[in-house]
Amino acid sequence: MSAVYQFLAYGHPPLKTADIHSACYWVKQLTGTVVGIIFGVTEVTGAQGFAFFLTINLLVTFIVYSKVLRVNVEELGFEGQAKLVQEGFMQSFGCFLLCWIVSFTLCVN
């Protein structure tokens, strides 16, 4: 979380690999929570919800590390990009499911 604070407070300092992974992790957690609440309130159901979440999560990840954090994509290579995409995905998916189910249940009842 300190990497995100440092980025927001001081502009763009050079980030270490661990800080980049940490920033992507926390952005994914926030994305999963927000998308889950939005999908629950708008009563999205079924496989389309999972597909939209996967798409949104991947797009947010690519935007964050390529545009916001300004990571050199060629320098990372395919394996580096795959690690960033995998970083925190299952935890983000868990947050998404929890928020989606709870907000959907509260809105329907």
Side-chain angles (χ1 to χ4, degrees):
M1 198 66 174
S2 65
V4 176
Y5 174 75
Q6 186 180 21
F7 176 78
L8 293 175
Y10 302 111
H12 190 305
L15 295 175
K16 301 175 194 165
T17 304
D19 293 337
I20 292 170
H21 285 278
S22 177
C24 283
Y25 175 86
W26 286 109
V27 167
K28 283 186 183 186
Q29 302 319 305
L30 182 64
T31 301
T33 304
V34 170
V35 171
I37 291 171
I38 291 171
F39 281 13
V41 170
T42 58
E43 299 180 4
V44 175
T45 60
Q48 69 183 16
F50 291 114
F52 286 144
F53 169 72
L54 179 63
T55 305
I56 291 169
N57 198 322
L58 287 173
L59 285 175
V60 167
T61 301
F62 285 124
I63 290 170
V64 164
Y65 81 75
S66 66
K67 302 294 183 195
V68 177
L69 297 177
R70 296 184 193 110
V71 175
N72 188 355
V73 179
E74 290 88 23
E75 187 177 296
L76 278 178
F78 179 75
E79 290 181 13
Q81 290 179 13
K83 285 182 183 178
L84 284 176
V85 169
Q86 293 172 357
E87 181 73 32
F89 177 75
M90 291 308 292
Q91 292 87 347
S92 175
F93 186 65
C95 287
F96 164 72
L97 284 177
L98 178 69
C99 294
W100 188 19
I101 292 167
V102 170
S103 60
F104 183 85
T105 303
L106 292 174
C107 288
V108 170
N109 292 332

